[in-house]
Amino acid sequence: MDSNLIGEQITRYRKALNMTQEELGKAAGVSTQAVSRWENSGAPDVALLPAIADKLGVTIDALFGREGGEQVDVHDVVARWLASLPQKDRSTSSAG
C-alpha cells in the first residue's frame, strides 16, 4: 500500500478542480501549510476527512483510493427507486 495514498488522492482531486491549497485549507479550517504536508508526506486528521471530501466533491472512500468515489444524491436515488415501483407500492408513510 502506498504510504501517502490519501495525500496523492487529495492532490489529484484538488488539481482536477483547479483549486489551490489555500482554498482547500480554508474549507477544512486549516492552513495552506497543513494541506501541503498532507499532499507531500502526511495525512489529515480523520475528523477533517468529511470537509475535505465535500470540498473536493468526492466520497471519503475516494480519498482512500477506493473505487466508486463519486458522491451520490441520496434523495435522487430514492426518488428514482420510488418512481420505479408500481403506484400502489409508492406510499411514503410507514405502516406500523
Side-chain angles (χ1 to χ4, degrees):
M1 180 177 212
D2 191 335
S3 63
N4 192 27
L5 178 63
I6 294 174
E8 290 176 7
Q9 293 294 89
I10 289 171
T11 302
R12 179 177 142 220
Y13 290 118
R14 180 182 61 76
K15 288 183 176 182
L17 295 171
N18 293 316
M19 182 185 303
T20 65
Q21 289 179 335
E22 181 180 9
E23 291 169 326
L24 181 56
K26 283 182 181 179
V30 299
S31 68
T32 302
Q33 291 79 11
V35 176
S36 178
R37 279 192 303 274
W38 303 340
E39 293 184 356
N40 290 299
S41 63
D45 185 280
V46 70
L48 297 174
L49 293 177
I52 295 166
D54 287 349
K55 183 65 178 175
L56 296 175
V58 299
T59 64
I60 293 172
D61 277 356
L63 297 179
F64 285 92
R66 296 177 58 111
E67 296 300 317
E70 298 81 25
Q71 286 186 324
V72 176
D73 181 347
V74 175
H75 297 303
D76 182 51
V77 171
V78 171
R80 283 188 281 127
W81 174 74
L82 283 173
S84 73
L85 294 175
Q87 185 66 38
K88 67 180 179 67
D89 295 333
R90 291 187 192 179
S91 174
T92 57
S93 63
S94 60

